């Protein structure tokens, strides 16, 4: 009988799981603090790289409790009959929030996070670059125009919380200004000056 090898494994979505994902103890919260710190760092890297690969922004504790979520490929390993327990995922998410790699979304709860696989500053640069490359500087755009554009962009599905943070960063460098529009919030991107 062939044993499960500790080697990288490619998922159905094309994501390459690291070899540690084949180790049963990886799915268990460890009593030894230094071991748990190491495992949490591995889980954090895995979650953020998978989120970037799949363009996922939110991770909820419920994703470890139910089958069929976008996160099944990494929160479960059926080859070794293991899955991440909700309490362990909650611990990992709290650690990510404490390190500013995620924020609780919505606020005032601890079961759902917005992942920072790109920081708000990085999203600000992506956002401004998109506006510039699509010829939309000095054009008033609704938030909907940005996150649901007619042509696919890296901003598709970007949560409004992250969009607002990115716009606020651009506004500080005079590269964006928010504008009230009839059907909600809007923004005008400016060529601006990146120096103050």
């Amino acid at each position: 009988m062939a044993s499960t090898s500790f080697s990288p494994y490619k998922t159905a979505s094309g994501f390459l799981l690291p070899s540690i994902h084949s180790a049963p103890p990886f799915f268990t919260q460890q009593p030894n603090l230094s071991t748990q710190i190491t495992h949490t760092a591995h889980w954090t890297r895995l979650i953020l790289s998978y989120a970037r690969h799949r363009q996922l922004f939110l991770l909820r504790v419920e994703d470890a409790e139910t089958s069929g979520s976008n996160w099944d490929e990494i929160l479960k390993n059926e080859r070794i009959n293991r899955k991440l327990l909700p309490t362990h995922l909650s611990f990992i998410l709290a650690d990510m929030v404490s390190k500013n790699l995620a924020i609780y979304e919505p606020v005032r709860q601890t079961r759902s996070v917005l992942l920072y696989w790109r920081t708000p500053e990085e999203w600000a640069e992506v956002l401004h670059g998109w506006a510039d490359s699509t010829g939309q500087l000095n054009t008033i755009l609704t938030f909907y125009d940005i996150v649901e554009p007619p042509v696919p962009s890296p901003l598709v599905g970007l949560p409004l919380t992250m969009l607002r943070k990115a716009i606020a960063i651009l506004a500080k460098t005079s590269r964006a200004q928010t504008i009230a529009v009839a059907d909600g919030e809007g923004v005008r991107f400016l060529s601006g000056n990146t120096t103050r």
Side-chain angles (χ1 to χ4, degrees):
M1 179 176 140
S3 64
T4 302
S5 65
F6 293 113
S7 60
Y9 178 81
K10 190 171 276 197
T11 67
S13 73
F15 182 76
L16 190 63
L17 289 167
S19 56
I20 194 170
H21 196 265
S22 296
F26 185 55
F27 289 84
T28 306
Q29 204 161 345
Q30 298 297 308
N32 179 295
L33 182 60
S34 64
T35 303
Q36 184 56 49
I37 288 169
T38 300
H39 280 204
T40 300
H42 281 294
W43 270 112
T44 297
R45 280 193 300 278
L46 177 59
I47 288 167
L48 292 175
S49 60
Y50 186 75
R52 180 184 285 264
H53 171 75
R54 295 279 312 271
Q55 294 244 267
L56 301 173
F57 297 98
L58 294 173
L59 177 55
R60 304 166 318 198
V61 172
E62 288 78 29
D63 291 321
E65 297 171 327
T66 58
S67 289
S69 86
N70 288 327
W71 294 93
D72 281 357
E73 287 185 331
I74 66 166
L75 298 182
K76 297 174 174 59
N77 186 334
E78 293 177 1
R79 294 174 299 121
I80 59 170
N81 197 28
R82 291 287 190 270
K83 66 179 184 177
L84 193 66
L85 294 176
T87 52
H88 192 181
L89 179 56
S90 185
F91 176 86
I92 294 165
L93 296 182
D95 187 73
M96 291 176 74
V97 168
S98 75
K99 293 180 171 138
N100 202 30
L101 298 171
I103 58 168
Y104 287 117
E105 176 68 22
V107 295
R108 293 188 287 282
Q109 56 77 45
T110 58
R111 293 187 59 85
S112 177
V113 297
L114 175 61
L115 299 165
Y116 281 1
W117 47 271
R118 277 194 178 127
T119 65
E121 293 77 13
E122 289 169 330
W123 278 116
E125 294 309 314
V126 169
L127 181 57
H128 195 269
W130 169 80
D132 189 18
S133 69
T134 57
Q136 299 188 83
L137 292 181
N138 297 310
T139 302
I140 297 173
L141 299 166
T142 66
F143 286 8
Y144 179 82
D145 294 332
I146 296 168
V147 299
E148 295 296 333
V151 176
S153 86
L155 303 163
V156 170
L158 185 68
L160 292 183
T161 301
M162 187 68 81
L163 180 61
R164 286 186 187 100
K165 287 178 181 290
I167 290 169
I169 290 164
L170 292 172
K172 287 179 185 173
T173 57
S174 303
R175 294 189 292 159
Q177 71 184 151
T178 54
I179 305 207
V181 294
D183 56 346
E185 301 168 280
V187 62
R188 175 186 291 134
F189 296 102
L190 311 164
S191 55
N193 186 349
T194 57
T195 60
R196 291 187 179 200

